Amino acid sequence: MKDDELDLTVALRKLRELSLEDGDIGYAYWTAVAKLLASVPDMRARIEQLEQQLRSRQRKR
């Protein structure tokens, strides 16, 4: 694990608990937040990939 990476397991578990406690509207909200949070590692990887491509193209100039 990199220094800037976090284990999201605890946060996702808590969001799941909140979704079950808050009724239908709360469930929809906390589930959406959990999905967004769970997508962070993929987004970070994609950003790193795009940054590498950008640096590569800048070096070619």
Side-chain angles (χ1 to χ4, degrees):
M1 181 187 309
K2 293 180 183 178
D3 292 337
D4 62 344
E5 290 181 0
L6 296 172
D7 181 3
L8 301 176
T9 306
V10 174
L12 291 170
R13 187 178 318 124
K14 184 61 180 177
L15 290 173
R16 174 78 174 140
E17 290 173 14
L18 290 170
S19 73
L20 295 174
E21 294 172 1
D22 280 352
D24 291 343
I25 294 173
Y27 179 83
Y29 175 79
W30 291 117
T31 300
V33 171
K35 286 179 182 179
L36 182 61
L37 186 60
S39 70
V40 167
D42 291 336
M43 285 189 273
R44 277 187 169 179
R46 181 66 177 143
I47 288 168
E48 286 180 23
Q49 179 186 34
L50 292 170
E51 286 174 339
Q52 289 174 356
Q53 288 176 1
L54 180 60
R55 284 191 296 271
S56 175
R57 289 181 181 170
Q58 287 174 338
R59 282 191 295 258
K60 290 179 181 179
R61 288 183 176 179

